[in-house]
Amino acid sequence: MDFTLWEPIYKEILQDFGFSREEDEQAALLLSHLLERMHSPGLDTLKRKMFGKDVLVCGNGPNLAEDLDRLDLVRYVLIAADGAAAVVMDAGRVPDVIVTDLDGDVDREIEASKQGSLVVVHAHGDNKDKLIRYVPRLQNIIGSTQAAPLQNVFNFGGFTDGDRAVYVAHECGAGTIELAGFFFDDPMVTPSKSKKLKWARRLICSLGLNI
């Protein structure tokens, strides 16, 4: 993602939610420093995983298990958005890629990383404590940020784990992208989550996906 193209959207998100850009930047710098001490598989590894392939992006909506039951999972590269990783593993697959800001079932994500999942760990202003706690326990980490990219920390575009996972697939040249477990009109979520889902729909639609 060209950050100059993403930055106006990012500024709009910051204003809409009252988030701090400075806190995002501090978190990204922290993640960059943490990853300096680890072996990161790098962006090329992530691209090779998806380029030209059929990718299924799994959101953590209440309909995910049902969606997975009706699909032939073998034909897809599977990307799980945070808490969706546990559901995908319960369905018998280890996600090929996990996109997470570390507020889901991180123990399952650690388990998946030990089994080969690439883990796109996102740094934002509210999760610096989780970065410190969990990054050393994960393997195969690629860093991400909503702010300007840094060494080992990329900006793929996207805001929530779900739409960011779609952007990761798009940026890595996926041949096709399908969605499972996305429920943009979930009436059971909080007003804040509902607003995030509206942003997720908007951002995914901007990529031309039919949802």
Side-chain angles (χ1 to χ4, degrees):
M1 167 64 70
D2 183 341
F3 185 67
T4 61
L5 298 177
W6 171 253
E7 189 174 21
I9 302 170
Y10 175 48
K11 288 180 176 178
E12 189 178 349
I13 292 169
L14 290 174
Q15 183 175 13
D16 196 16
F17 287 88
F19 294 153
S20 166
R21 180 169 183 160
E22 182 180 2
E23 291 289 335
D24 282 349
E25 291 170 344
Q26 289 175 359
L29 186 60
L30 170 62
L31 180 56
S32 179
H33 289 328
L34 289 170
L35 292 179
E36 284 177 358
R37 309 168 194 170
M38 305 174 68
H39 172 70
S40 176
L43 192 56
D44 287 345
T45 301
L46 190 63
K47 289 181 176 179
R48 284 196 299 270
K49 182 73 71 172
M50 285 178 271
F51 186 81
K53 299 177 182 176
D54 296 326
V55 174
L56 182 69
V57 179
C58 301
N60 195 32
N63 53 328
L64 176 57
E66 181 180 347
D67 285 350
L68 294 177
D69 281 344
R70 64 178 175 77
L71 293 168
D72 178 14
L73 301 184
V74 175
R75 63 177 287 255
Y76 295 103
V77 174
L78 289 188
I79 306 182
D82 207 4
V87 182
V88 170
M89 293 172 76
D90 288 343
R93 275 286 302 272
V94 176
D96 297 287
V97 180
I98 298 170
V99 175
T100 176
D101 64 359
L102 306 175
D103 68 358
D105 189 341
V106 184
D107 286 336
R108 298 297 297 278
E109 293 171 2
I110 292 168
E111 177 187 346
S113 76
K114 291 178 179 178
Q115 296 183 55
S117 295
L118 299 177
V119 186
V120 179
V121 172
H122 188 70
H124 58 68
D126 292 335
N127 75 341
K128 292 191 284 292
D129 58 333
K130 293 177 181 177
L131 295 174
I132 293 169
R133 184 183 314 138
Y134 292 121
V135 164
R137 298 175 59 195
L138 286 159
Q139 299 179 23
N140 310 314
I141 300 174
I142 297 162
S144 75
T145 179
Q146 296 169 159
L150 300 170
Q151 182 180 357
N152 295 321
V153 180
F154 304 92
N155 189 317
F156 298 98
F159 171 43
T160 72
D161 288 320
D163 58 86
R164 187 166 51 256
V166 176
Y167 271 72
V168 168
H170 182 266
E171 288 292 304
C172 289
T176 66
I177 302 173
E178 296 181 40
L179 306 183
F182 282 75
F183 189 16
F184 298 104
D185 300 313
D186 190 343
M188 304 303 293
V189 299
T190 65
S192 175
K193 179 64 174 179
S194 179
K195 187 160 69 168
K196 288 180 179 180
L197 289 171
K198 287 182 174 64
W199 267 102
R201 187 200 295 271
R202 170 183 163 181
L203 291 170
I204 292 171
C205 286
S206 74
L207 296 177
L209 269 69
N210 182 14
I211 59 174

